[in-house]
Amino acid sequence: MKRVLSFMLALCAALGMVCLGEPAQAAGKKLIAVTYDDGPGPYTERLLDGLKKRGVKATFFMQGMNAARYEKTVARMYREGHQLANHTYNHPDLTRLSAGEIQSQVNRTNSILDKAAGKGADYLLRPPYGSYNSAVGRAVGAPMILWSIDPQDWLYRNAATVKNNVLRNAHDGAVLLLHDIHSTTVDGSLSAIDSLKAQGYEFVTVRELFRRRGRTLSAGSSYSQANPNGKDLGPVQQPEITSQPKGGQLEITITAQKGTAVYYSLDGSDLNQQSRRYTGPFTVQTPCTVKACAAYNMNGSRSDTLEKKFDRPAAPAPVLHIENGFLIIEGTTPEVAVYYSVSGAQDSNGNQLYTGPVALVPGVRVSAYGAGEGYYNSASVRIAYSPLGNVFRDVFPEAWYFDAVDKAAAEGIIQGQGDGVFAPKDSVTRGQLVTFLHRISQETGDVPAGEGSPFTDVPEGKYYTEAVAWAVENNVASGYEDSTFRPERKVTRQEMACILHRYMTGCCGAALSAGGLESFRDRNAVADWAKEAADALSASGILQGDTEGNFRPADGCTRAEAAAVLLRVQGYVPPVM
């Protein structure tokens, strides 16, 4: 039907009865979509060479059986930004098929195209011969693309005739029908493209033609051209890739045109529908190659791919120590210099080149990084020298818990994990909590433990062994019915309330207030066995809720939170004499 229809139109045109479209204008920005049917074939690679040379993106309506034969050619089409589209598997007249047969033709071809575009891609469809009806529209499940210019390359098989027919009927918004299975079409269409580009035409994919003219394509509907001389929304712009050192790696940020999605790879691999989607800055190890493109639709409405190589290694991060009041920096190499700055009680004047130990006073924070020719700057590393003389790598003055952690560490209530690591966000266990309380109590001496312990999971020699025995002996904490204490289990806030309540009222004879639980939105979530303790501890200000007014009884407690709570306990209870 397509060839019969086209032949009749050509005959009418020859008789002076019909002119397809408007004549090409001499100047002005005009959009046109060039499409190729029935391939790929033996001439398609030569066509792709010509299109690449001219910077032209086309749409290929392929028969599935040919796409399967020329998988590498299809992959190249997609890689170079052309749009892959469906022309059924073996070119039947769809009006003569059942709905199931139509869907089989479409789906079989889609699966073949997925090998290049990736699963999840969607494909426009051109019905063979331009033959369709409402039943076909319902069955195909995709927009159907026809044409507004047919130079009848399949009939004339003459490059000059193909070119002249294209130029005679070219107009803004047109969809141009060609066939890449003919050698003469390759030569004629490329020559026509040269002439039309000189006249101000821009060649785009079908999907871009309609998007840029502000028209949405609907499944089951047919389209032959876009609005001529309409408003142009503009092409999809390439994204931008920027980087900065972070944590001994590079942090990559990709920015793109509003409304587009960004797809990227880190190993130099080609991008398709299944590539990574950018959601925010990420870090990479160097050297690496980042490829990225912005897309309204990865199949036919995407930017050119931007490739950026990061071929330098990151400088090694310096290692900071504070020993006897002096800053000592290690971990450098001869070709990498270290720059440091000091803030707090003795601000330095910007970044200073490290040349040897630097005297510090308590109450400062030091940051440093490595830099050298041929390297990306290393990550900036920090260390704090607290007012009470503690050295922290993970606790800094801007944290709400800094003063509490500083004091709890200085008094030995909560000890760090070595080398300046306090781990403020780690959860507190039952064994740790009773150990902290035991230290506050300042009680020493022989307490039943080890083999005499009633608990099967509290062996001799653990840091919590004596503290667990002390806690049980003084009714501060108890175990479980299965003869375990579960010292390694994270303690909940309601468990903490009970343990602190027993310690303060039993061991220390503190008189606590009541009525605090009523102010919390989630008070009914507190277990019955913990209500009295939670009520008293919250009324006395020992345990506080979150910013939304919740007590969070089942949540755990971090080491930073424990430091603040235990200092409140210590301040509420007079010291043991």
Side-chain angles (χ1 to χ4, degrees), residues 7-226:
F7 178 78
M8 293 301 295
L9 291 173
L11 179 61
C12 292
L15 296 174
M17 297 170 62
V18 174
C19 179
L20 296 181
E22 301 175 0
Q25 301 175 25
K29 191 171 185 179
K30 301 176 285 285
L31 302 180
I32 189 169
V34 58
T35 69
Y36 294 91
D37 279 17
D38 292 344
Y43 313 111
T44 306
E45 286 285 342
R46 183 161 63 88
L47 172 62
L48 291 174
D49 291 340
L51 296 175
K52 183 176 182 180
K53 180 179 178 181
R54 292 161 174 80
V56 168
K57 300 295 189 292
T59 302
F60 289 86
F61 287 94
M62 291 174 278
Q63 294 186 46
M65 64 178 187
N66 289 334
R69 294 189 187 113
Y70 291 90
E71 282 189 8
K72 291 183 178 179
T73 300
V74 176
R76 178 185 174 185
M77 289 176 187
Y78 187 83
R79 182 173 62 251
E80 295 181 356
H82 302 290
Q83 182 176 351
L84 310 186
N86 193 316
H87 199 38
T88 73
Y89 183 75
N90 56 6
H91 210 269
D93 183 340
L94 297 181
T95 62
R96 299 176 180 272
L97 302 183
S98 68
E101 291 171 328
I102 293 172
Q103 291 166 0
S104 177
Q105 285 278 333
V106 172
N107 294 338
R108 190 175 181 185
T109 301
N110 284 350
S111 296
I112 294 169
L113 300 182
D114 279 349
K115 295 178 181 179
K119 290 184 179 180
D122 63 294
Y123 306 98
L124 304 180
L125 180 131
R126 175 167 286 161
Y129 315 106
S131 179
Y132 71 97
N133 54 30
S134 59
V136 171
R138 288 191 297 271
V140 296
M144 296 181 293
I145 306 300
L146 303 178
W147 58 90
S148 53
I149 303 174
D150 180 3
Q152 298 185 313
D153 58 321
W154 53 269
L155 174 64
Y156 294 110
R157 309 288 180 90
N158 180 279
T161 301
V162 171
K163 173 184 177 180
N164 291 333
N165 287 347
V166 170
L167 297 180
R168 185 181 302 114
N169 296 293
H171 60 276
D172 181 36
V175 176
L176 171 59
L177 170 66
L178 294 161
H179 300 77
D180 54 322
I181 57 174
H182 306 305
S183 178
T184 50
T185 294
V186 173
D187 298 327
S189 65
L190 291 176
S191 183
I193 286 171
D194 290 336
S195 297
L196 291 176
K197 283 173 66 72
Q199 295 178 31
Y201 278 93
E202 181 181 352
F203 286 84
V204 294
T205 64
V206 169
R207 199 180 295 279
E208 273 290 87
L209 176 67
F210 286 94
R211 182 196 69 80
R212 288 177 62 170
R213 286 293 158 85
R215 191 170 184 184
T216 301
L217 302 177
S218 300
S221 297
S222 62
Y223 306 86
S224 58
Q225 67 176 16

Side-chain angles (χ1 to χ4, degrees), residues 86 280 299 303 418 436 458 482 515:
N86 193 316
N299 183 26
S303 72
F436 300 156
V458 181
D482 61 355

